[in-house]
Amino acid sequence: MLFNYRYSGNSQVFSDAGSAGISFAPDTHREPTFFVGKLSKKIAFREAISSLHDVVVSDLRFKPKDKTEYKEWAAQQESIWLAEFMQGYDAQAADQKIEGLRADLRNIWDQKDKAMGPFNKAKRAYFDYLYQKDRDAWFVLDPVISVHPDEIFFECFSQDESTYGKLSASYNVFKEVNEFECGTTNIDYSAALYNEFQKIRDYKETDFRVDPGGFQVQTSQEELYHEVKIDLPDSWVRGFLQVSSAMTLPAATFDLHPMDVYNFCSWLRRFKEIKGPRSIRFILEPGKPVRAVFEPWNREIVCARSLYTGPQAREIRIWGRRRILILERLIPIARKFTVHLTGSGLPSFFIADLGDMQFTLGLSGWTANDWSRAGQFDLMAPRAEVSEPDKFRVYNALKSVWFSTAADLVKATGLSSATVLGALGLFTQAGKVIYDLHGGVYRLRELSREPLPMHLLRFSTPEEADAEILVNQGKVSYTENQITGVGTQLKGTVSVQRVYYPVMIIDADERMTNAQCDCDFFYQNKLYKGPCKHMLALRKAYAAK
């Protein structure tokens, strides 16, 4: 999916002994969106925007060691080792021959190194330059910034497509707001910008602007623009939409004291798990302190300062817990952390209350959204049936005020609550609206200038789309059996034109293992191309329960 951006210059931070200035270059392809003001809460903003950068660069995917040099060395040594092995069979004549072979090999490898050396050196220098000097070239999408009548907020997504960050700053963060125009745009953002953010000090007067001048440059000065064209994987955009949809789901909600989050981070820093399950099990009992059990050590941390006020007892597990370390920098300036857990293995949200700012950290069910968990947390909100006129009535009503509760939109449009919520759900899944967890309101935010191809984004594979149809048509049945030390065994029947019999095991980390089916797709591909639609349908039916 190709995204086109055009920026007027580059985002910059200016700093001297007595003042500083932050100037973001917006995407000039979008409608004019700008903001000019002076920061009041400088240190808190510096820490929050730095934590947002930690989300942008986050990549916890497994990275295998680079064994290229070792393999080259082993290939060189193989002939030498073979010659040395044969040395004992031939005595002096063999020694002379081996020395001759060694000399020939050294000459060949020297010639190879001489020929390939400049290329390898240039390749290493190029990637070192990208990582050290232009690290933003490794990123897939610049952050999204939205200006609303009451606040300005940034959104970004991690490189591994599993972590979402949102920083909302009300106008109380600024002691002076000169001018602004509401809207959404992408901003030019780089690693060098992060380094400049660290120079913000409380004693320096700091100007903040999303540069309005970027939309006023004459055509004759076209060279001042620089264009960026990014070919995004569909999975990246789908992940961004997953987070937006997950925000609207029912969730268990509770507050954590900053010291409780500190204890979580401290434990994760001190210990590294070797085997699974790698989860946090939250034990929630009404009127009692929240308890968090870190597996596989079964270490229980009791959050004595944080009581659960929900109506019923619940036990929820989340994975990918090391992403919580992104919150470390916010602990000294946070008043509290509000946690929203949508369910075991489903997305979770941690909202840091920074006074006039809120930092939202959204985590997918796992760090790696690979096929073993496919289908459990795709665009989960159901697709409502809403007529086109009603959808546009809701959208126009929201656009006139920029943010609103569903109840207020019901009054403004005269439509039923179900119709309004259905339309808002559709716009959320299309990337045009976002639900503000902290404020409890829907906000207008268009992720892309052009409409997103939702028919391509909802499912990651054709098998997953077929599995959804099978589950909705009620063609899946199964039995489950607990196997000690292994996990849950699922045996299912999927009736299509004939009956298929998928079998799988769900381990302690909720991963699909030892899966098999009697269909042609499995016999031809095994699991190299992911699970078949019958396995996915079985997993979806089990997850729905």
Side-chain angles (χ1 to χ4, degrees):
M1 187 177 303
L2 192 63
F3 281 74
N4 295 311
Y5 309 116
R6 186 171 72 166
Y7 301 111
S8 174
N10 296 300
S11 296
Q12 297 178 356
V13 174
F14 309 96
S15 179
D16 56 30
S19 64
I22 304 171
S23 178
F24 290 104
D27 180 9
T28 60
H29 278 316
R30 288 184 180 247
E31 294 182 1
T33 300
F34 54 85
F35 180 91
V36 178
K38 290 183 181 294
L39 274 176
S40 174
K41 301 182 178 180
K42 308 177 186 68
I43 301 302
F45 181 83
R46 181 191 70 193
E47 298 303 295
I49 199 72
S50 298
S51 296
L52 199 71
H53 173 268
D54 292 341
V55 175
V56 174
V57 301
S58 174
D59 188 356
L60 298 181
R61 291 172 294 190
F62 172 72
K63 303 176 185 65
K65 293 182 178 179
D66 185 3
K67 299 182 179 180
T68 304
E69 293 185 2
Y70 167 76
K71 290 180 179 179
E72 291 179 354
W73 174 81
Q76 297 177 26
Q77 288 292 110
E78 186 176 2
S79 299
I80 298 175
W81 289 333
L82 180 60
E84 289 176 347
F85 177 78
M86 297 298 295
Q87 184 176 2
Y89 293 95
D90 276 327
Q92 186 173 3
D95 290 342
Q96 294 176 355
K97 187 174 182 179
I98 289 172
E99 285 301 323
L101 291 173
R102 285 178 173 173
D104 292 341
L105 284 172
R106 282 194 295 270
N107 184 42
I108 292 172
W109 288 116
D110 288 343
Q111 291 179 14
K112 179 185 176 183
D113 291 340
K114 186 176 180 180
M116 298 294 296
F119 168 75
N120 292 328
K121 183 178 180 181
K123 184 172 68 173
R124 284 194 299 270
Y126 171 69
F127 285 109
D128 287 343
Y129 170 81
L130 280 183
Y131 190 76
Q132 298 296 335
K133 303 297 183 182
D134 193 20
R135 198 174 304 178
D136 56 316
W138 295 67
F139 303 159
V140 291
L141 186 63
D142 288 320
V144 177
I145 186 170
S146 299
V147 180
H148 275 213
D150 63 327
E151 70 177 28
I152 182 171
F153 60 91
F154 300 81
E155 295 177 273
C156 66
F157 212 49
S158 64
Q159 293 186 66
D160 59 11
E161 305 173 10
S162 72
T163 307
Y164 165 85
K166 175 174 175 280
L167 172 61
S168 303
S170 75
Y171 286 173
N172 292 331
V173 175
F174 306 90
K175 61 183 179 182
E176 181 180 324
V177 177
N178 296 323
E179 56 179 334
F180 67 89
E181 180 66 35
C182 295
T184 299
T185 185
N186 294 88
I187 56 171
D188 182 48
Y189 190 90
S190 66
L193 201 61
Y194 167 79
N195 296 327
E196 294 298 325
F197 282 142
Q198 310 314 304
K199 300 177 183 179
I200 297 177
R201 296 293 184 270
D202 207 26
Y203 58 83
K204 292 183 179 181
E205 193 70 34
T206 304
D207 294 325
F208 180 93
R209 63 172 59 219
V210 179
D211 190 9
F215 300 96
Q216 301 171 4
V217 180
Q218 300 295 323
T219 306
S220 59
Q221 297 175 330
E222 187 73 21
E223 65 275 4
L224 296 179
Y225 289 102
H226 71 276
E227 296 203 19
V228 182
K229 294 184 179 180
I230 302 174
D231 191 6
L232 283 174
D234 289 349
S235 60
W236 198 99
V237 184
R238 185 185 301 109
F240 214 116
L241 299 180
Q242 276 181 0
V243 173
S244 298
S245 297
M247 287 182 180
T248 64
L249 295 176
T253 303
F254 55 90
D255 293 335
L256 290 178
H257 190 276
M259 283 305 299
D260 296 326
V261 177
Y262 170 80
N263 291 334
F264 291 176
C265 295
S266 176
W267 180 266
L268 293 174
R269 289 291 187 192
R270 290 166 56 201
F271 299 97
K272 175 71 173 178
E273 65 280 350
I274 299 177
K275 60 181 181 179
R278 301 173 175 85
S279 66
I280 301 178
R281 180 158 45 92
F282 285 97
I283 302 175
L284 310 175
E285 298 179 8
K288 294 184 179 180
V290 174
R291 291 183 290 154
V293 179
F294 285 73
E295 297 175 320
W297 311 283
N298 291 324
R299 161 69 174 178
E300 181 178 276
I301 296 178
V302 179
C303 306
R305 307 173 185 85
S306 309
L307 298 180
Y308 177 61
T309 58
Q312 59 182 3
R314 301 190 64 177
E315 186 171 309
I316 299 175
R317 298 169 75 191
I318 65 171
W319 283 262
R321 59 195 177 191
R322 292 199 173 271
R323 294 172 290 176
I324 297 176
L325 294 173
I326 292 173
L327 299 173
E328 272 187 312
R329 193 161 182 170
L330 301 176
I331 293 174
I333 60 175
R335 297 178 179 179
K336 65 177 180 179
F337 292 85
T338 302
V339 183
H340 297 258
L341 304 179
T342 58
S344 293
L346 296 177
S348 56
F349 300 90
F350 293 76
I351 303 176
D353 183 359
L354 311 179
D356 292 318
M357 291 185 292
Q358 287 78 39
F359 184 93
T360 302
L361 180 68
L363 308 177
S364 64
W366 282 264
T367 302
N369 289 342
D370 58 26
W371 61 263
S372 64
R373 273 81 74 174
Q376 183 157 352
F377 43 81
D378 207 328
L379 298 178
M380 297 169 293
R383 300 296 174 108
E385 295 294 334
V386 183
S387 66
E388 290 297 319
D390 288 346
K391 283 198 300 184
F392 284 106
R393 283 178 66 182
V394 174
Y395 183 80
N396 291 332
L398 181 60
K399 189 172 184 179
S400 65
V401 293
W402 290 96
F403 65 94
S404 176
T405 63
D408 289 340
L409 290 175
V410 169
K411 295 178 182 178
T413 60
L415 300 173
S416 67
S417 178
T419 301
V420 170
L421 288 173
L424 290 172
L426 289 171
F427 286 124
T428 299
Q429 294 174 40
K432 293 181 174 294
V433 171
I434 185 173
Y435 183 67
D436 187 343
L437 275 173
H438 176 76
V441 297
Y442 288 89
R443 292 184 179 274
L444 195 69
R445 187 272 280 130
E446 296 197 2
L447 181 61
S448 171
R449 183 165 48 92
E450 292 85 11
L452 296 173
M454 298 309 300
H455 64 287
L456 299 176
L457 293 174
R458 188 175 187 195
F459 301 107
S460 57
T461 63
E463 286 72 30
E464 193 172 340
D466 293 340
E468 180 79 5
I469 295 174
L470 293 174
V471 173
N472 292 338
Q473 292 178 348
K475 295 185 176 181
V476 183
S477 61
Y478 68 91
T479 59
E480 58 180 287
N481 180 37
Q482 296 293 332
I483 302 177
T484 304
V486 177
T488 302
Q489 183 186 56
L490 302 178
K491 293 184 177 180
T493 59
V494 181
S495 301
V496 193
Q497 295 177 344
R498 72 175 183 87
V499 179
Y500 296 91
Y501 299 93
V503 179
M504 69 182 66
I505 291 178
I506 308 297
D507 69 6
D509 278 328
E510 294 293 323
R511 294 176 300 188
M512 183 193 302
T513 62
N514 296 329
Q516 60 183 1
C517 185
D518 58 346
C519 67
D520 292 339
F521 184 91
F522 177 78
Y523 282 128
Q524 294 174 7
N525 305 299
K526 300 303 181 183
L527 292 175
Y528 295 114
K529 293 186 178 180
C532 67
K533 60 184 178 183
H534 311 108
M535 296 179 193
L536 285 174
L538 174 59
R539 180 62 191 267
K540 280 177 175 286
Y542 174 71
K545 186 205 73 169

mmCIF file of all heavy atoms in Angstrom, residues 83-108:
data_model
loop_
_atom_site.group_PDB
_atom_site.id
_atom_site.type_symbol
_atom_site.label_atom_id
_atom_site.label_comp_id
_atom_site.label_asym_id
_atom_site.label_seq_id
_atom_site.Cartn_x
_atom_site.Cartn_y
_atom_site.Cartn_z
ATOM 1 N N ALA A 83 42.818 -31.094 4.496
ATOM 2 C CA ALA A 83 44.221 -31.366 4.167
ATOM 3 C C ALA A 83 44.991 -31.820 5.399
ATOM 4 O O ALA A 83 45.826 -32.732 5.333
ATOM 5 C CB ALA A 83 44.860 -30.110 3.572
ATOM 6 N N GLU A 84 44.727 -31.189 6.543
ATOM 7 C CA GLU A 84 45.411 -31.571 7.776
ATOM 8 C C GLU A 84 45.031 -32.993 8.198
ATOM 9 O O GLU A 84 45.853 -33.748 8.734
ATOM 10 C CB GLU A 84 45.069 -30.587 8.887
ATOM 11 C CG GLU A 84 45.718 -29.218 8.690
ATOM 12 C CD GLU A 84 45.284 -28.227 9.753
ATOM 13 O OE1 GLU A 84 44.301 -28.538 10.480
ATOM 14 O OE2 GLU A 84 45.925 -27.162 9.864
ATOM 15 N N PHE A 85 43.772 -33.364 7.952
ATOM 16 C CA PHE A 85 43.349 -34.714 8.294
ATOM 17 C C PHE A 85 44.091 -35.760 7.457
ATOM 18 O O PHE A 85 44.428 -36.838 7.943
ATOM 19 C CB PHE A 85 41.841 -34.837 8.078
ATOM 20 C CG PHE A 85 41.299 -36.217 8.335
ATOM 21 C CD1 PHE A 85 41.098 -36.667 9.628
ATOM 22 C CD2 PHE A 85 41.015 -37.068 7.270
ATOM 23 C CE1 PHE A 85 40.609 -37.931 9.858
ATOM 24 C CE2 PHE A 85 40.528 -38.337 7.499
ATOM 25 C CZ PHE A 85 40.322 -38.783 8.804
ATOM 26 N N MET A 86 44.282 -35.432 6.205
ATOM 27 C CA MET A 86 44.950 -36.381 5.311
ATOM 28 C C MET A 86 46.465 -36.359 5.466
ATOM 29 O O MET A 86 47.159 -37.183 4.874
ATOM 30 C CB MET A 86 44.580 -36.046 3.866
ATOM 31 C CG MET A 86 43.095 -36.180 3.555
ATOM 32 S SD MET A 86 42.494 -37.872 3.766
ATOM 33 C CE MET A 86 43.423 -38.720 2.481
ATOM 34 N N GLN A 87 46.966 -35.437 6.226
ATOM 35 C CA GLN A 87 48.421 -35.265 6.314
ATOM 36 C C GLN A 87 49.110 -36.512 6.843
ATOM 37 O O GLN A 87 50.191 -36.885 6.397
ATOM 38 C CB GLN A 87 48.730 -34.065 7.228
ATOM 39 C CG GLN A 87 50.216 -33.745 7.320
ATOM 40 C CD GLN A 87 50.474 -32.493 8.155
ATOM 41 O OE1 GLN A 87 49.534 -31.914 8.677
ATOM 42 N NE2 GLN A 87 51.724 -32.108 8.265
ATOM 43 N N GLY A 88 48.488 -37.158 7.827
ATOM 44 C CA GLY A 88 49.143 -38.318 8.432
ATOM 45 C C GLY A 88 49.273 -39.507 7.498
ATOM 46 O O GLY A 88 50.045 -40.424 7.761
ATOM 47 N N TYR A 89 48.552 -39.507 6.415
ATOM 48 C CA TYR A 89 48.585 -40.648 5.501
ATOM 49 C C TYR A 89 49.717 -40.550 4.499
ATOM 50 O O TYR A 89 50.070 -41.519 3.875
ATOM 51 C CB TYR A 89 47.252 -40.764 4.757
ATOM 52 C CG TYR A 89 46.103 -41.139 5.659
ATOM 53 C CD1 TYR A 89 45.297 -40.162 6.208
ATOM 54 C CD2 TYR A 89 45.842 -42.478 5.948
ATOM 55 C CE1 TYR A 89 44.245 -40.496 7.038
ATOM 56 C CE2 TYR A 89 44.796 -42.823 6.787
ATOM 57 C CZ TYR A 89 44.001 -41.829 7.340
ATOM 58 O OH TYR A 89 42.961 -42.169 8.166
ATOM 59 N N ASP A 90 50.236 -39.350 4.304
ATOM 60 C CA ASP A 90 51.244 -39.205 3.258
ATOM 61 C C ASP A 90 52.536 -38.642 3.829
ATOM 62 O O ASP A 90 53.107 -38.082 3.346
ATOM 63 C CB ASP A 90 50.770 -38.310 2.136
ATOM 64 C CG ASP A 90 49.954 -39.041 1.126
ATOM 65 O OD1 ASP A 90 50.239 -40.215 0.901
ATOM 66 O OD2 ASP A 90 49.028 -38.451 0.581
ATOM 67 N N ALA A 91 52.904 -38.417 4.786
ATOM 68 C CA ALA A 91 54.193 -37.957 5.305
ATOM 69 C C ALA A 91 54.728 -36.748 4.562
ATOM 70 O O ALA A 91 54.022 -35.766 4.333
ATOM 71 C CB ALA A 91 55.209 -39.088 5.284
ATOM 72 N N GLN A 92 56.018 -36.813 4.183
ATOM 73 C CA GLN A 92 56.712 -35.625 3.695
ATOM 74 C C GLN A 92 56.153 -35.130 2.351
ATOM 75 O O GLN A 92 55.979 -33.931 2.146
ATOM 76 C CB GLN A 92 58.214 -35.938 3.544
ATOM 77 C CG GLN A 92 59.031 -34.709 3.190
ATOM 78 C CD GLN A 92 60.533 -35.009 3.205
ATOM 79 O OE1 GLN A 92 60.944 -36.159 3.425
ATOM 80 N NE2 GLN A 92 61.331 -33.993 2.983
ATOM 81 N N ALA A 93 55.840 -36.055 1.450
ATOM 82 C CA ALA A 93 55.313 -35.645 0.145
ATOM 83 C C ALA A 93 53.961 -34.948 0.303
ATOM 84 O O ALA A 93 53.671 -33.940 -0.353
ATOM 85 C CB ALA A 93 55.188 -36.860 -0.774
ATOM 86 N N ALA A 94 53.147 -35.508 1.221
ATOM 87 C CA ALA A 94 51.835 -34.895 1.450
ATOM 88 C C ALA A 94 51.982 -33.507 2.067
ATOM 89 O O ALA A 94 51.225 -32.583 1.745
ATOM 90 C CB ALA A 94 50.998 -35.781 2.348
ATOM 91 N N ASP A 95 52.974 -33.362 2.985
ATOM 92 C CA ASP A 95 53.206 -32.054 3.617
ATOM 93 C C ASP A 95 53.534 -30.996 2.569
ATOM 94 O O ASP A 95 53.037 -29.858 2.620
ATOM 95 C CB ASP A 95 54.333 -32.143 4.639
ATOM 96 C CG ASP A 95 53.924 -32.959 5.862
ATOM 97 O OD1 ASP A 95 52.698 -33.132 6.056
ATOM 98 O OD2 ASP A 95 54.819 -33.405 6.600
ATOM 99 N N GLN A 96 54.404 -31.373 1.643
ATOM 100 C CA GLN A 96 54.775 -30.422 0.594
ATOM 101 C C GLN A 96 53.564 -30.066 -0.278
ATOM 102 O O GLN A 96 53.372 -28.908 -0.652
ATOM 103 C CB GLN A 96 55.894 -31.020 -0.270
ATOM 104 C CG GLN A 96 57.202 -31.222 0.469
ATOM 105 C CD GLN A 96 58.254 -31.912 -0.387
ATOM 106 O OE1 GLN A 96 57.959 -32.324 -1.522
ATOM 107 N NE2 GLN A 96 59.453 -32.055 0.165
ATOM 108 N N LYS A 97 52.735 -31.074 -0.563
ATOM 109 C CA LYS A 97 51.551 -30.812 -1.371
ATOM 110 C C LYS A 97 50.549 -29.921 -0.627
ATOM 111 O O LYS A 97 49.934 -29.020 -1.209
ATOM 112 C CB LYS A 97 50.893 -32.137 -1.750
ATOM 113 C CG LYS A 97 49.749 -31.989 -2.742
ATOM 114 C CD LYS A 97 49.233 -33.351 -3.181
ATOM 115 C CE LYS A 97 48.114 -33.183 -4.213
ATOM 116 N NZ LYS A 97 47.606 -34.499 -4.673
ATOM 117 N N ILE A 98 50.428 -30.202 0.698
ATOM 118 C CA ILE A 98 49.504 -29.399 1.509
ATOM 119 C C ILE A 98 49.964 -27.955 1.556
ATOM 120 O O ILE A 98 49.148 -27.017 1.442
ATOM 121 C CB ILE A 98 49.401 -29.990 2.929
ATOM 122 C CG1 ILE A 98 48.638 -31.313 2.885
ATOM 123 C CG2 ILE A 98 48.717 -28.998 3.881
ATOM 124 C CD1 ILE A 98 48.653 -32.073 4.191
ATOM 125 N N GLU A 99 51.271 -27.751 1.723
ATOM 126 C CA GLU A 99 51.779 -26.386 1.763
ATOM 127 C C GLU A 99 51.506 -25.663 0.444
ATOM 128 O O GLU A 99 51.174 -24.481 0.410
ATOM 129 C CB GLU A 99 53.288 -26.404 2.056
ATOM 130 C CG GLU A 99 53.639 -26.705 3.490
ATOM 131 C CD GLU A 99 53.044 -25.698 4.451
ATOM 132 O OE1 GLU A 99 52.988 -24.488 4.118
ATOM 133 O OE2 GLU A 99 52.596 -26.115 5.536
ATOM 134 N N GLY A 100 51.675 -26.426 -0.656
ATOM 135 C CA GLY A 100 51.372 -25.826 -1.944
ATOM 136 C C GLY A 100 49.888 -25.458 -2.070
ATOM 137 O O GLY A 100 49.534 -24.388 -2.572
ATOM 138 N N LEU A 101 49.016 -26.384 -1.596
ATOM 139 C CA LEU A 101 47.580 -26.108 -1.633
ATOM 140 C C LEU A 101 47.213 -24.919 -0.753
ATOM 141 O O LEU A 101 46.376 -24.084 -1.102
ATOM 142 C CB LEU A 101 46.802 -27.344 -1.192
ATOM 143 C CG LEU A 101 46.829 -28.553 -2.150
ATOM 144 C CD1 LEU A 101 46.167 -29.766 -1.512
ATOM 145 C CD2 LEU A 101 46.127 -28.192 -3.461
ATOM 146 N N ARG A 102 47.838 -24.856 0.437
ATOM 147 C CA ARG A 102 47.570 -23.739 1.329
ATOM 148 C C ARG A 102 47.969 -22.410 0.689
ATOM 149 O O ARG A 102 47.255 -21.406 0.802
ATOM 150 C CB ARG A 102 48.306 -23.928 2.652
ATOM 151 C CG ARG A 102 47.677 -24.963 3.564
ATOM 152 C CD ARG A 102 48.481 -25.128 4.828
ATOM 153 N NE ARG A 102 47.805 -26.000 5.773
ATOM 154 C CZ ARG A 102 48.343 -26.426 6.910
ATOM 155 N NH1 ARG A 102 49.583 -26.056 7.220
ATOM 156 N NH2 ARG A 102 47.655 -27.206 7.721
ATOM 157 N N ALA A 103 49.113 -22.442 0.031
ATOM 158 C CA ALA A 103 49.562 -21.213 -0.626
ATOM 159 C C ALA A 103 48.593 -20.818 -1.740
ATOM 160 O O ALA A 103 48.257 -19.635 -1.892
ATOM 161 C CB ALA A 103 50.974 -21.416 -1.184
ATOM 162 N N ASP A 104 48.135 -21.839 -2.496
ATOM 163 C CA ASP A 104 47.161 -21.539 -3.559
ATOM 164 C C ASP A 104 45.852 -21.000 -2.976
ATOM 165 O O ASP A 104 45.272 -20.054 -3.515
ATOM 166 C CB ASP A 104 46.884 -22.803 -4.378
ATOM 167 C CG ASP A 104 48.092 -23.233 -5.195
ATOM 168 O OD1 ASP A 104 48.993 -22.377 -5.408
ATOM 169 O OD2 ASP A 104 48.137 -24.404 -5.609
ATOM 170 N N LEU A 105 45.386 -21.633 -1.863
ATOM 171 C CA LEU A 105 44.143 -21.177 -1.238
ATOM 172 C C LEU A 105 44.268 -19.754 -0.712
ATOM 173 O O LEU A 105 43.367 -18.928 -0.873
ATOM 174 C CB LEU A 105 43.750 -22.123 -0.099
ATOM 175 C CG LEU A 105 43.150 -23.470 -0.505
ATOM 176 C CD1 LEU A 105 42.988 -24.383 0.704
ATOM 177 C CD2 LEU A 105 41.797 -23.269 -1.181
ATOM 178 N N ARG A 106 45.422 -19.480 -0.064
ATOM 179 C CA ARG A 106 45.620 -18.121 0.446
ATOM 180 C C ARG A 106 45.617 -17.113 -0.682
ATOM 181 O O ARG A 106 45.066 -16.015 -0.553
ATOM 182 C CB ARG A 106 46.933 -18.042 1.240
ATOM 183 C CG ARG A 106 46.837 -18.629 2.638
ATOM 184 C CD ARG A 106 48.049 -18.210 3.467
ATOM 185 N NE ARG A 106 49.284 -18.762 2.933
ATOM 186 C CZ ARG A 106 49.803 -19.936 3.289
ATOM 187 N NH1 ARG A 106 49.187 -20.683 4.201
ATOM 188 N NH2 ARG A 106 50.941 -20.369 2.775
ATOM 189 N N ASN A 107 46.216 -17.490 -1.791
ATOM 190 C CA ASN A 107 46.252 -16.594 -2.939
ATOM 191 C C ASN A 107 44.837 -16.362 -3.485
ATOM 192 O O ASN A 107 44.464 -15.225 -3.818
ATOM 193 C CB ASN A 107 47.154 -17.191 -4.022
ATOM 194 C CG ASN A 107 47.316 -16.249 -5.210
ATOM 195 O OD1 ASN A 107 47.485 -15.038 -5.039
ATOM 196 N ND2 ASN A 107 47.279 -16.813 -6.409
ATOM 197 N N ILE A 108 44.036 -17.451 -3.562
ATOM 198 C CA ILE A 108 42.658 -17.322 -4.066
ATOM 199 C C ILE A 108 41.828 -16.444 -3.138
ATOM 200 O O ILE A 108 41.100 -15.550 -3.588
ATOM 201 C CB ILE A 108 42.023 -18.715 -4.217
ATOM 202 C CG1 ILE A 108 42.715 -19.491 -5.347
ATOM 203 C CG2 ILE A 108 40.521 -18.595 -4.492
ATOM 204 C CD1 ILE A 108 42.288 -20.940 -5.453
#
